[in-house]
């Protein structure tokens, strides 16, 4: 999927960047360089390479909202710090991101819904310190800030902070 070349996606993305084409191009370039560090740009992410992380069911597509937007469920209790390397987990994030983008582009939808389920989450068992440090990096925070613009609603269940 060449989501970064899709005209509809780029038009929606330009709105997020206040029609500043230079900023959007720079962001996409940085994102692709970041992805390329973990997995080559010209290939799709091979599920077999991240199968141990996929099996945790940390993130899964679970139906659609009333508006027809794809809904992903993040189950915090399925975070398994001992399963997979940081590289596999980052590839998994790109795998989810790219599959979600592919669906959205095919359906001409540019919003998603997120359900974050913290039920049975135990920080001592489920918190991944190494991944948390990786996610604090500049490139990760930029990616997430960009993705939040495509979120219609976030629902947090079983709040146990």
């Amino acid at each position: 999927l060449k989501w970064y070349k899709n005209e509809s996606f780029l038009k929606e993305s330009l709105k997020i960047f206040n029609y500043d084409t230079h900023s959007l191009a720079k962001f996409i370039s940085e994102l692709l360089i970041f992805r390329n560090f973990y997995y080559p740009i010209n290939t799709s992410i091979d599920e077999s390479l991240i199968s141990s992380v996929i099996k945790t069911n940390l993130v899964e597509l679970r139906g659609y909202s009333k508006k027809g937007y794809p809904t992903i469920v993040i189950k915090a209790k399925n975070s398994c710090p001992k399963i997979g390397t940081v590289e596999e987990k980052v590839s998994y994030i790109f795998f989810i991101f790219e599959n979600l983008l592919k669906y959205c582009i095919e359906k001409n939808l540019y919003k998603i819904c997120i359900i974050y389920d913290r039920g049975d989450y135990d920080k001592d068992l489920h918190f991944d310190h190494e991944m948390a440090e990786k996610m604090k990096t500049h490139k990760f925070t930029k990616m997430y800030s960009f993705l939040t613009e495509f979120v219609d609603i976030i629902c947090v269940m079983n709040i146990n902070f």
Side-chain angles (χ1 to χ4, degrees):
L1 169 69
K2 302 279 191 247
W3 54 267
Y4 48 89
K5 292 183 178 180
N6 180 276
E7 186 177 339
S8 298
F9 174 75
L10 292 173
K11 283 179 182 177
E12 287 297 316
S13 300
L14 274 171
K15 293 177 192 174
I16 294 168
F17 283 85
N18 295 317
Y19 299 94
D20 180 347
T21 55
H22 177 73
S23 294
L24 176 60
K26 182 179 177 195
F27 171 78
I28 289 175
S29 175
E30 288 176 359
L31 186 59
L32 293 174
I33 290 167
F34 182 49
R35 183 203 191 272
N36 193 52
F37 180 77
Y38 292 98
Y39 213 85
I41 295 296
N42 295 326
T43 58
S44 57
I45 295 170
D46 184 349
E47 287 185 51
S48 66
L49 297 176
I50 57 171
S51 63
S52 63
V53 182
I54 289 174
K55 288 177 186 173
T56 65
N57 288 325
L58 175 63
V59 180
E60 58 185 320
L61 181 62
R62 178 81 61 79
Y64 309 92
S65 72
K66 289 180 181 178
K67 296 178 184 176
Y69 301 144
T71 300
I72 60 169
V73 177
I74 302 168
K75 292 185 178 181
K77 72 176 184 178
N78 290 348
S79 177
C80 302
K82 293 180 171 95
I83 294 179
T85 65
V86 169
E87 289 75 19
E88 290 170 330
K89 292 172 188 173
V90 171
S91 293
Y92 176 67
I93 290 168
F94 276 105
F95 176 77
I96 295 294
F97 168 72
E98 290 175 358
N99 280 304
L100 207 50
L101 273 178
K102 181 181 177 193
Y103 173 83
C104 288
I105 288 168
E106 287 171 357
K107 301 293 184 185
N108 205 30
L109 297 170
Y110 295 97
K111 292 288 182 184
I112 63 169
C113 299
I114 298 173
I115 298 172
Y116 182 49
D117 184 357
R118 292 184 54 87
D120 297 326
Y121 175 78
D122 181 329
K123 185 175 180 179
D124 294 332
L125 295 173
H126 302 115
F127 187 74
D128 189 334
H129 295 278
E130 193 176 6
M131 193 63 187
E133 285 303 311
K134 176 61 77 177
M135 293 177 80
K136 288 180 188 175
T137 65
H138 175 68
K139 292 196 183 347
F140 252 109
T141 55
K142 283 184 80 170
M143 182 176 79
Y144 281 116
S145 65
F146 175 70
L147 291 177
T148 58
E149 296 295 331
F150 290 94
V151 175
D152 183 51
I153 189 168
I154 295 176
C155 175
V156 181
M157 298 172 47
N158 303 305
I159 299 172
N160 56 1
F161 303 132

